[in-house]
């Protein structure tokens, strides 16, 4: 079995009875003359070859006298299901390093790469997320893939809001590698805050990677980490994904400190989300309806804003270019490792909303704000690419402001351009990267402030980013977003291997 020299690192071959062979190539498992395999179960069928992408391979092992290979098969571009190849193996007197057992072990190693095999997962299924079909999606589309990948799981079906936070706050962090909510974005918010409330918060946040199976309305976390809002796509990406550092944000409001992983908003976006809770049956379309219905009111939200500015809009694309590689992101996370050591949450560098304004900050009055939107991830919903320059761990939040008194057709055009990634370059869109900010609403006594899609009191609050404080499981070690339009000519391959 196998080849010599330089080819040995890229190819691995196992002879099978009847003249067939299995060969592990750089990114595929190739079955030669696989006459007993159903044509529908292969990616290609020509010249006696059947090919299985290693990314789709979930497990391989010797069971009695057979080599069993389980993999994810894409059905109609809508979901993956588990399929199996079974091959009899003949008795052999070959050396142990060329045995079928060794082949199966090496095949799994090649298929998983840097991903961890047999993750230990604490799965939290929210039956009431989004349209309310979380349990069905978990059982039919996700659990079979996790089972085939030999994941060790404890599964809890949530019964009320806040339960996920309480469970994670008390969980045994030595028992699990990851917490996986099957939900919308509200349950991941609870998970991060449950970890943050622990006495060993920094250890817990650095040790437990948070995943996401999309079962809600927006499913932003899954879109960013896995490039999809489909449960089985996310499940496969979780199986094969890598632990990735994530910037988290402290929000202080009154005497309260909470953690934000996704976004904060006030104005049209917050109302378009929170004021349409009764329309959850519409899925992500409720957000579009909520925003569009409010654009024509030309409503403004007077407030005072102070920021710790890091990058102005004209330099944002260059900032993105410098950081847009896996190696850059990993270096940033390594640089933050010592800073994140300790027990509770990191000390706030800029104090809280109750403290005096930090030195060097200027509270600027904004009388005509229509949208105040700060993001920690790129996608806020499927195809809703509000923050194209957002990165997993660059130590910045991406802040967007738009005036509310500009012509309605311009605002509508701006929001509609989000899907085509033209939003960033519009003159009416004020975009910058900040590491902290304070916002104080004025005049209006009641309104909507959204933190990760959750409603909080309509009161002043302050935000501060903590670089690389959290951990998630992502598909490639970075967000699945294309970045600002025309940000660079560097190819995706060059970025990944820089």
């Amino acid at each position: 079995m196998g080849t010599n020299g330089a080819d040995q690192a890229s190819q691995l071959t196992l002879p099978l009875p009847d003249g067939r062979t299995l060969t592990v190539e750089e990114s595929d498992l190739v079955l030669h003359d696989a006459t007993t395999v159903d044509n529908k179960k292969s990616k290609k069928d020509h010249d006696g070859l059947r090919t299985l992408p290693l990314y789709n391979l979930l497990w391989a092992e010797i069971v009695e006298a057979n080599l069993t290979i389980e993999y994810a098969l894409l059905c109609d571009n809508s979901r993956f299901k588990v399929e199996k190849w079974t091959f009899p193996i003949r008795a052999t007197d070959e050396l142990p390093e060329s045995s079928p057992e060794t082949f199966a072990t090496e095949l799994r190693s090649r298929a998983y790469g840097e991903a961890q095999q047999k993750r230990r997962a604490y799965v939290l299924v929210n039956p009431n997320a989004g349209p309310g079909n979380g349990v069905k999606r978990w059982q039919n589309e996700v659990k079979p893939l996790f089972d085939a990948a030999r994941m060790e799981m404890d599964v809890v079906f949530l019964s009320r809001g806040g339960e996920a936070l309480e469970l994670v706050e008390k969980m045994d962090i030595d028992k699990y590698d990851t917490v996986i909510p099957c939900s919308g974005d509200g349950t991941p918010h609870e998970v991060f805050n449950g970890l943050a409330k622990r006495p060993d918060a920094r250890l817990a946040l650095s040790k437990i990677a948070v995943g996401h199976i999309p079962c809600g309305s927006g499913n932003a976390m899954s879109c960013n980490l896995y490039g999809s809002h489909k449960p089985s796509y996310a499940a496969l990406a979780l199986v094969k994904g890598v632990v990735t550092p994530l910037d988290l944000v402290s929000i202080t409001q009154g005497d309260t400190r909470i953690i934000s992983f996704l976004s904060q908003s006030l104005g049209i976006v917050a109302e378009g989300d929170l004021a349409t809770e009764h329309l959850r049956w519409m899925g992500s379309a409720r957000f579009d309806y909520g925003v569009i219905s409010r654009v024509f009111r030309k409503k403004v939200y007077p407030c005072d804003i102070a920021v710790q500015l890091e990058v102005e809009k004209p330099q944002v694309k260059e900032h993105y270019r410098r950081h847009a590689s896996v190696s850059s992101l990993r270096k940033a996370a390594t640089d933050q490792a010592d800073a994140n050591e300790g027990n509770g949450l990191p000390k706030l560098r800029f104090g809280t909303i109750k403290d005096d304004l930090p030195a060097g900050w200027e509270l600027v009055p904004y009388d005509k704000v229509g949208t105040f939107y700060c993001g920690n991830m790129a996608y806020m919903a499927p195809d809703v690419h509000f923050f194209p320059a957002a990165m997993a761990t660059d130590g910045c939040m991406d802040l967007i402001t738009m005036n509310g008194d500009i012509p309605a057709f311009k605002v509508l055009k701006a929001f509609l351009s989000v899907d085509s990634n033209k939003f960033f370059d519009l003159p009416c869109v004020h975009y910058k990267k900040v590491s902290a900010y304070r916002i104080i609403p004025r005049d209006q006594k009641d309104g909507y402030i959204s933190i990760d899609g959750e409603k909080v009191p309509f009161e002043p609050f302050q935000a501060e980013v903590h670089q690389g404080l959290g951990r998630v499981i992502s598909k490639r070690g970075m967000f699945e977003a294309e970045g600002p339009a025309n940000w660079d000519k560097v190819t995706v391959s060059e970025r990944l291997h820089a």
Side-chain angles (χ1 to χ4, degrees), residues 16 63 67 131 153 171-172 208 260 313 322 326 405 430 434 439 447 469:
L16 298 169
V63 180
L67 169 62
M153 295 176 287
M171 69 181 284
D172 181 357
I208 299 296
S260 170
K313 184 174 181 177
R322 291 199 314 270
V326 171
D405 63 341
H430 305 284
V434 302
I439 180 167
L469 178 61

Side-chain angles (χ1 to χ4, degrees), residues 42 103 129 153 159 185 223 231 237 311 326 334 404 416:
S42 61
F103 179 88
M153 295 176 287
S159 59
D185 293 309
C223 292
V311 187
V326 171
T334 300
L416 292 176

Side-chain angles (χ1 to χ4, degrees), residues 121-137:
Y122 194 25
V123 181
L124 306 177
V125 182
N126 185 352
N128 300 315
N133 56 1
V135 174
K136 181 178 179 181
R137 287 185 163 185

